[in-house]
Amino acid sequence: VAVALARRIQVQVNWHEFVELGTLGIDEIALTKGRANFVAIITTQQADGHVALLAVLPDRKKATVRQFLETIPARLRPTLHTVCTDMWDGYANAVKEFAAAHPDVSLAVVIDRFHVAKHYRHSVDQLRKREGRRLKQTLPEAEYAKLKGVMWILRKNNQDLTPAERQKLRLLFTYAPALKSAYTLREELTAIFELALTKEQAKQRLKKWCAKVRRSRLTCFDTFLKTLNNWRDEIVNYFM
């Protein structure tokens, strides 16, 4: 895949094929695993849901993305209403500068829900690993054996658990109550993103969730809370 993408690196778009842009997606992929040689993938989602690849940029620098955005014809600029991206400053800043430079552009930057979930689920994963090591050291071998596979069960969404998996989780939570709290908070945040909320309602829900995290005195979400605070507007734009 990486080789194929490398061969397709290009920024020339046949704009005549498009009558609208709608939503742009900006993401990246590393051409070589373990190396920071990212290329930026630019796509567009049309009103009918069709997704088209526009360009594969040679890097994910702000200047490169901004240069590409400037190639959008004037007739298409007003049809662009949303840019969906991850939490990479270069992308968001390139889009905002582009919009500020063109009075006919009015758009919202939306952080992809997948990337938000990746961050807060990682918070619980880190606690899961710490608690797993602790339980292995402190529980009798026979008792710890009963928890085999439970740490991976913990990664599943609650609604997808089987009765047997729920029973094993309950056993885990008797030994690791902090993990139960973190898991519950993770599921509550996921549920918020499943609701049909207005932006203002979403802000209030997220504010209450953050307050609940702080009252829990869990530290595993500390980094995510900072991320949420820094990107709150763009994250809440998901609820438009």
Side-chain angles (χ1 to χ4, degrees):
V1 175
V3 173
L5 282 172
R7 290 173 179 168
R8 293 196 61 178
I9 289 178
Q10 51 87 25
V11 294
Q12 298 298 318
V13 181
N14 183 4
W15 294 112
H16 295 294
E17 296 180 356
F18 300 92
V19 296
E20 64 168 354
L21 289 181
T23 298
L24 285 190
I26 308 178
D27 209 339
E28 75 268 338
I29 187 171
L31 292 179
T32 308
K33 187 175 181 180
R35 299 179 183 271
N37 54 344
F38 293 102
V39 295
I41 312 296
I42 313 292
T43 58
T44 175
Q45 183 175 36
Q46 309 286 277
D48 62 0
H50 173 69
V51 176
L53 175 66
L54 291 178
V56 180
L57 306 185
D59 57 61
R60 61 173 183 168
K61 295 177 182 178
K62 183 185 78 169
T64 304
V65 176
R66 174 70 190 278
Q67 184 178 28
F68 170 79
L69 294 174
E70 290 296 341
T71 68
I72 298 174
R75 67 177 179 84
L76 289 176
R77 289 199 300 254
T79 72
L80 174 61
H81 55 73
T82 306
V83 176
C84 188
T85 183
D86 60 16
M87 285 171 271
W88 178 248
D89 286 327
Y91 296 158
N93 290 335
V95 171
K96 291 174 182 178
E97 289 179 10
F98 168 70
H102 299 281
D104 57 343
V105 175
S106 177
L107 55 79
V109 176
V110 179
I111 300 302
D112 190 318
R113 176 182 169 180
F114 167 81
H115 291 286
V116 180
K118 182 178 178 181
H119 278 263
Y120 68 76
R121 293 181 72 89
H122 177 73
S123 301
V124 181
D125 252 4
Q126 293 302 101
L127 180 60
R128 171 184 65 83
K129 292 174 182 177
R130 291 197 298 271
E131 287 294 88
R133 290 191 292 267
R134 180 182 66 83
L135 294 178
K136 187 174 183 179
Q137 293 173 355
T138 58
L139 287 179
E141 186 174 342
E143 197 64 18
Y144 182 76
K146 296 178 182 179
L147 298 176
K148 184 178 180 180
V150 72
M151 295 303 176
W152 301 108
I153 294 173
L154 189 74
R155 303 186 74 179
K156 297 177 67 174
N157 292 326
N158 188 266
Q159 64 183 18
D160 298 326
L161 295 175
T162 66
E165 288 172 336
R166 292 180 189 278
Q167 183 176 357
K168 187 166 282 193
L169 266 191
R170 285 193 291 271
L171 177 61
L172 170 66
F173 291 153
T174 61
Y175 296 123
L179 202 49
K180 178 180 180 180
S181 298
Y183 177 82
T184 301
L185 286 164
R186 187 194 77 188
E187 293 299 293
E188 289 176 355
L189 185 53
T190 297
I192 291 174
F193 281 90
E194 293 291 338
L195 298 174
L197 302 174
T198 65
K199 288 173 60 175
E200 187 56 38
Q201 288 172 332
K203 279 186 179 181
Q204 293 306 313
R205 292 269 188 155
L206 291 175
K207 183 178 180 180
K208 290 180 180 178
W209 183 86
C210 290
K212 191 170 184 179
V213 171
R214 294 188 182 97
R215 288 196 301 271
S216 74
R217 297 190 177 183
L218 290 170
T219 60
C220 61
F221 289 107
D222 285 357
T223 299
F224 176 72
L225 290 179
K226 293 177 182 176
T227 298
L228 181 57
N229 184 63
N230 292 337
W231 293 94
R232 188 179 304 274
D233 290 340
E234 292 82 1
I235 290 173
V236 169
N237 281 342
Y238 171 81
F239 296 91
M240 291 189 302

